[in-house]
Amino acid sequence: MVSVMVVDDHPIWREGVARDLGERGCDVVATAADGPAAVRIAPAVRPQVVLMDLNLGAGSGVEAIAGILAKLPATRVLVLSASGEHADVLEALKAGATGYLVKSAGVDELIDAVRRTADGVPVFTPGLAGLVLGEYRRLAGEPPRASGEPAVPALTERETEVLRLVAKGLTARQIGERLVLSHRTVESHVQNTLRKLQLHNRSQLVRYAIEQGLADD
């Protein structure tokens, strides 16, 4: 059972989503009507997933995402917003969100997205993922490193292969089946890659892979 906190400033929407999640087997541990309340409540209930609106009455959803993840880095944030604007998606991801759905999503799509988010799999409303990938690749152009600045640590061929599949949204078990490895071996490669790149979680790893163009088919 996935534990979820729902953050939305519209009571009817907030209560309706919480009810739908509960009826489909999720454990709704808390709700919040604004960003400051969400940042205050989250550490007390420690949800696996925070379902976050962006346009809140007090404080922005982006600020709340950053505030929650600063206290609970293992928690995943799935944005559920009325906005499908490219800039809003990118700001949410930069703050640390794992995925992004627009509110036109159906209940089944939402429940599936929450469960996948809990597993660390990036989930996007169809049509947004391509925009996000393209923008991250555009923004990834960086000036040359200054003389003497250390290069990014080299990954092994296997680590790169695993990273590429992580960026495509596959779980450790799915990657293991594809590469004929145990899921523990896959997780070991993921942890080694995180350590080499000095990243802290799977979401950051996915963003790194996107920036490097590893998510391309």
Side-chain angles (χ1 to χ4, degrees):
M1 182 179 291
V2 178
S3 60
V4 185
M5 182 169 79
V6 180
V7 183
D8 196 293
D9 64 335
H10 291 91
I12 293 177
W13 182 271
R14 183 174 67 249
E15 293 164 10
V17 169
R19 182 179 61 251
D20 288 340
L21 290 169
E23 290 176 351
R24 299 299 183 94
C26 294
D27 180 18
V28 180
V29 294
T31 63
D34 57 51
V39 175
R40 184 177 65 252
I41 293 170
V45 296
R46 304 185 72 84
Q48 291 172 270
V49 176
V50 175
L51 194 60
M52 174 73 69
D53 190 14
L54 290 185
N55 298 314
L56 302 172
S60 75
V62 169
E63 292 171 346
I65 292 170
I68 289 171
L69 294 181
K71 297 181 178 182
L72 300 172
T75 292
R76 316 288 186 185
V77 177
L78 174 62
V79 172
L80 181 63
S81 174
S83 171
E85 291 295 322
H86 195 186
D88 289 336
V89 180
L90 289 173
E91 285 301 311
L93 292 180
K94 289 175 184 177
T98 296
Y100 195 109
L101 289 183
V102 296
K103 286 185 174 180
S104 58
V107 175
D108 289 339
E109 183 181 357
L110 173 61
I111 302 302
D112 178 66
V114 167
R115 290 172 176 159
R116 292 175 65 193
T117 299
D119 290 332
V121 178
V123 181
F124 296 94
T125 291
L128 291 182
L131 293 174
V132 173
L133 291 174
E135 184 67 8
Y136 265 113
R137 285 195 293 270
R138 186 183 71 79
L139 294 176
E142 300 176 351
R145 286 188 296 271
S147 177
E149 182 179 344
V152 175
L155 302 180
T156 67
E157 183 177 346
R158 180 63 85 186
E159 287 167 349
T160 301
E161 195 172 17
V162 169
L163 177 56
R164 190 184 302 276
L165 295 177
V166 167
K168 293 180 184 297
L170 275 66
T171 65
R173 291 190 181 278
Q174 291 170 329
I175 294 171
E177 290 172 0
R178 181 169 296 194
L179 300 181
V180 194
L181 301 170
S182 72
H183 77 278
R184 288 189 175 85
T185 299
V186 172
E187 287 293 354
S188 178
H189 286 307
V190 171
Q191 292 304 315
N192 287 340
T193 302
L194 285 169
R195 177 178 50 78
K196 285 184 176 182
L197 299 176
Q198 297 184 358
L199 301 175
H200 302 292
N201 55 51
R202 193 181 178 106
S203 296
Q204 291 180 354
L205 196 61
V206 169
R207 287 198 294 276
Y208 172 84
I210 291 172
E211 291 168 359
Q212 300 302 314
L214 295 176
D216 293 337
D217 289 330

